Amino acid sequence: MAQRALWLVRHEPGTPPGGTVRFSRRFPTVEKRAKVFNGASYVPIPEDGPFLKALLFEFRLLDDDKDFVESRDSCSRINKTSIYRLPLGGQELWPVIAFLRNGMIYASIPLVEQTLSPPPPLISISGISQGLELLFGIQDFLFSGQKNDTELNTRLSQLPDLLLQACPFGTLLDANLQNSMDNTDFASVTQLPKQPAWKAGTYKGKPQVFISITEKVKSMQYDKQDVADTWQVVGTVVCKCDLEGIMPNVTMSLSLPTNGSPLQDILVHPCVTSLDSAILTASSIDGMDDSAFSGPYKFPFTPPLESFNLCYYTSQVPVPPILGFYQMKEEEVQLKLTVNLKLHESVKNNFEFCEAHIPFYNRGSITHLEYKVSFGQLDVFREKSLLVWTIGQKFPKSMEISLSGTVTFGSKSRDKQPFDHICIGTTAYVKLHFRILDYTLTGCYVDQHSVQVFGSGKPKISARRKLISSDYYIWNSKAPAPVTYGSLLL
């Protein structure tokens, strides 16, 4: 129940081709739906010129069209409705709602939510009745109390703003345009920029800007001289801007400390209006050098109403936040294991949580465990063949912790026990899970005083950041390095 497009055509005899398009409006979102519903029978909306000529021809209003045309004037084409079929470039546009009143042709094309071949019954197309209602509402608005062309031109200029309220995205809400006019201050509307198609409404309320930086650190550590450890940071900046006005402008800057790691591989949201070329060309493929751009990274943008990802980035920090060593020796049905973890001195020692998961896939359930931990608590999930080392919210002052023990397994049952194609034999790993609030490994932050909002009111600025683990593995140093699929890069 929507309209693909509508036109107001003024019949002007003696002027080629016999009339002019005084107003037209297309609804691209409805047009995309028409392509899906109509399929192979879909006929696109024409430009104003071809549509004007086809419409005037159908109404016999072309100045040079006085001859009998069988396809139009035959008795078999007696039209008892206001629904027409317009020939356009070898195709036929149908259904077209059109009628002539006071020298003005009112026309619209409703959305048909099915294929057009064969043509469905008119009574099944709900958009036809709504299209007629909308066109009658426009007619009443234009000529109610209108006395001259000046008043008509004034009302035509008000139509775009009224349709935003009465028929947003082609869906009729109120055919009485006078109601919309009473609720619209045209003195202020005419000074505002045009409402973008991707922004259906505007925000009303207290202005505020919320910014969140989330960094995920990935790491593969082997503790081998012939295999290099790898690690990388992937960052996401999320924004939510509750600002009044149609197109508020915001400028936000990401900053780094003096020793911060430069941001690379930066991808931005389409709402970002401009960007320094040095920001876009910083790539991790080119490697690190002293001349790498280190900010500040300034992003001017016009925010959408909803929360959105302003940008993504990567960074090669000098060291991973937690260095690990894992060694496992297999002796019959027993495994002897040693795990050492060290928090780097530059990392904030204040976790929301920190855990080390040690899985023993492809084996039987754990029947016996002897262990010693220097810090934290060890939990045993016997059925899952999993050890969970809960480190807690802080490392000790030494920043180093260790776990050693002997694990005994029962008989193996593949139907009940978990299986992992990588974790086979001595090829095993420790996976770290942690989160640190109000901290980023790169040091990246948003200076709230650098956020500029060009609009009405002074907004409240809120910014936060956090670091979380993602694919953070420490592999058994006594086993061959496993084959890992994929890349650390997004």
Side-chain angles (χ1 to χ4, degrees):
M1 298 196 304
Q3 304 301 307
R4 295 168 59 187
L6 62 90
W7 290 266
L8 301 181
V9 175
R10 187 72 166 181
H11 175 44
E12 297 174 344
T15 62
T20 57
V21 176
R22 299 299 305 272
F23 177 83
S24 66
R25 180 66 185 270
R26 292 162 177 78
F27 300 97
T29 54
V30 183
E31 194 66 12
K32 289 185 178 181
R33 292 161 58 192
K35 288 183 181 180
V36 176
F37 285 123
N38 301 158
S41 60
Y42 166 77
V43 178
I45 297 295
E47 297 295 329
D48 287 350
F51 181 82
L52 171 64
K53 187 174 182 180
L55 186 64
L56 292 177
F57 172 80
E58 189 67 24
F59 276 80
R60 293 184 60 90
L61 296 178
L62 289 174
D63 291 340
D64 57 352
D65 184 19
K66 304 299 181 184
D67 298 330
F68 174 83
V69 179
E70 184 174 358
S71 62
R72 179 195 62 192
D73 304 323
S74 170
C75 291
S76 61
R77 281 289 311 276
I78 296 177
N79 193 0
K80 297 181 180 180
T81 68
S82 296
I83 311 302
Y84 297 89
R85 186 182 299 272
L86 301 186
L88 286 160
Q91 297 178 304
E92 287 189 333
L93 186 63
W94 181 91
V96 178
I97 307 170
F99 59 85
L100 177 64
R101 294 287 189 280
N102 300 320
M104 185 85 75
I105 301 177
Y106 301 82
S108 72
I109 303 177
L111 172 66
V112 181
E113 298 181 344
Q114 56 186 302
T115 181
L116 300 177
S117 181
L122 294 180
I123 196 172
S124 67
I125 306 175
S126 57
I128 290 180
S129 59
Q130 284 204 350
L132 285 168
E133 187 178 5
L134 174 60
L135 294 178
F136 286 137
I138 294 176
Q139 176 196 352
D140 292 341
F141 170 73
L142 292 181
F143 290 96
S144 176
Q146 184 264 127
K147 299 178 180 179
N148 52 50
D149 288 343
T150 301
E151 292 183 14
L152 175 63
N153 293 335
T154 300
R155 298 211 168 195
L156 284 172
S157 67
Q158 295 170 345
L159 269 182
D161 297 307
L162 294 178
L163 287 175
L164 280 176
Q165 301 181 48
C167 191
F169 295 106
T171 301
L172 182 63
L173 300 181
D174 186 2
N176 189 343
L177 270 64
Q178 190 63 42
N179 290 340
S180 300
M181 184 176 180
D182 294 339
N183 297 326
T184 303
D185 182 7
F186 284 98
S188 60
V189 168
T190 55
Q191 299 174 4
L192 295 175
K194 185 179 180 181
Q195 180 90 2
W198 49 264
K199 195 170 186 179
T202 57
Y203 172 78
K204 296 292 183 182
K206 294 182 179 180
Q208 55 185 353
V209 176
F210 172 77
I211 304 167
S212 174
I213 303 176
T214 300
E215 288 188 352
K216 294 182 179 180
V217 56
K218 304 181 179 185
S219 181
M220 296 284 179
Q221 300 180 34
Y222 307 101
D223 194 42
K224 292 176 177 291
Q225 293 183 353
D226 57 336
V227 181
D229 295 343
T230 59
W231 59 91
Q232 188 183 59
V233 172
V234 178
T236 305
V237 180
V238 178
C239 290
K240 178 69 168 68
C241 300
D242 295 329
L243 302 171
E244 293 187 346
I246 295 176
M247 294 285 284
N249 293 315
V250 181
T251 299
M252 186 211 70
S253 295
L254 297 179
S255 302
L256 295 174
T258 305
N259 58 345
S261 301
L263 308 184
Q264 303 166 322
D265 307 316
I266 297 176
L267 299 176
V268 299
H269 190 275
C271 72
V272 176
T273 55
S274 63
L275 210 57
D276 191 328
S277 60
I279 296 178
L280 292 175
T281 56
S283 173
S284 58
I285 299 177
D286 299 333
M288 298 290 294
D289 57 66
D290 295 336
S291 61
F293 183 70
S294 57
Y297 305 85
K298 184 176 292 187
F299 300 91
F301 59 95
T302 54
L305 290 175
E306 68 278 2
S307 176
F308 67 100
N309 296 329
L310 177 65
C311 71
Y312 302 91
Y313 63 84
T314 65
S315 182
Q316 289 289 348
V317 294
V319 292
I322 299 178
L323 294 171
F325 167 80
Y326 177 38
Q327 188 176 89
M328 183 180 71
K329 295 181 180 180
E330 189 169 2
E331 298 178 357
E332 297 181 355
V333 294
Q334 288 186 337
L335 289 179
K336 290 186 176 181
L337 58 96
T338 302
V339 182
N340 296 326
L341 300 177
K342 180 180 180 180
L343 180 68
H344 194 269
E345 58 185 10
S346 64
V347 178
K348 181 181 180 180
N349 189 14
N350 188 4
F351 294 82
E352 184 179 11
F353 66 87
C354 184
E355 296 178 347
H357 291 197
I358 310 172
F360 299 101
Y361 295 135
N362 317 320
R363 302 177 185 275
S365 60
I366 299 174
T367 59
H368 183 71
L369 171 67
E370 294 181 2
Y371 69 92
K372 179 181 179 181
V373 290
S374 65
F375 190 81
Q377 177 182 340
L378 188 67
D379 295 313
V380 183
F381 294 84
R382 298 182 185 277
E383 294 77 12
K384 296 182 179 180
S385 298
L386 174 68
L387 301 181
V388 177
W389 183 8
T390 303
I391 300 166
Q393 295 181 328
K394 284 183 178 292
F395 274 65
K397 291 184 179 180
S398 63
M399 300 295 186
E400 297 184 32
I401 57 176
S402 62
L403 162 68
S404 60
T406 302
V407 188
T408 304
F409 301 92
S411 59
K412 181 171 63 175
S413 175
R414 178 168 294 188
D415 295 335
K416 296 182 180 180
Q417 298 302 124
F419 185 81
D420 189 317
H421 290 282
I422 296 178
C423 190
I424 298 176
T426 56
T427 305
Y429 57 81
V430 176
K431 186 175 183 181
L432 297 185
H433 301 263
F434 57 84
R435 179 183 296 160
I436 307 177
L437 299 181
D438 195 27
Y439 177 78
T440 52
L441 199 57
T442 61
C444 181
Y445 67 96
V446 175
D447 184 359
Q448 298 185 20
H449 299 290
S450 70
V451 179
Q452 297 177 310
V453 178
F454 303 93
S456 59
K458 185 177 181 181
K460 177 184 177 182
I461 310 295
S462 301
R464 69 182 185 187
R465 53 183 184 163
K466 61 185 174 182
L467 173 71
I468 61 178
S469 60
S470 173
D471 299 331
Y472 203 105
Y473 294 95
I474 301 169
W475 295 91
N476 179 18
S477 63
K478 287 296 183 181
V483 177
T484 56
Y485 300 92
S487 169
L488 286 177
L489 287 175
L490 280 180

